[in-house]
Amino acid sequence: MLKPLGDRVILDEPQEEEQTVGGIVLASNAQDKPSTAKVVAVGDGRVLDNGEKVTPSVKVGDNVLFDKYAGTEVKYDGKSYLVLHEKDLVAVID
């Protein structure tokens, strides 16, 4: 499994099926990108200038809301993941 570094978080986004509007199939790049996902891995935390480490406020298994265009999509072991900084997370969904 991927292990994020520092304050990065790896998210597993739900896969959206192609949506139709009036019988027209939308291309994947025309569909809205989901902004919720499940945390699958968390880094050790951000290191401050004084050397102190700030632990992440999310944990594996949390469902989170994130900035719409944040992060980098990566493929690993045939599956797509989103890697982003913890600061790009907006909220934890209960």
Side-chain angles (χ1 to χ4, degrees):
M1 183 60 188
L2 295 171
K3 175 68 175 157
L5 300 175
D7 68 336
R8 289 180 177 84
V9 177
I10 298 178
L11 303 178
D12 184 12
E13 294 180 276
Q15 296 298 318
E16 295 288 323
E17 293 184 18
E18 291 184 355
Q19 302 171 358
T20 60
V21 177
I24 299 173
V25 177
L26 297 175
S28 61
N29 59 355
Q31 297 176 11
D32 283 339
K33 183 178 174 186
S35 57
T36 61
K38 185 174 187 174
V39 177
V40 294
V42 179
D44 293 332
R46 183 171 50 107
V47 178
L48 301 176
D49 291 336
N50 64 5
E52 184 180 334
K53 188 178 286 188
V54 178
T55 58
S57 56
V58 295
K59 62 187 179 308
V60 173
D62 284 348
N63 288 312
V64 294
L65 181 68
F66 58 92
D67 287 335
K68 192 168 190 169
Y69 297 105
T72 303
E73 290 185 24
V74 295
K75 287 198 184 259
Y76 176 76
D77 220 10
K79 189 162 171 133
S80 290
Y81 296 97
L82 184 66
V83 180
L84 47 81
H85 289 275
E86 186 183 23
K87 68 179 179 168
D88 294 326
L89 298 177
V90 177
V92 175
I93 302 169
D94 285 333

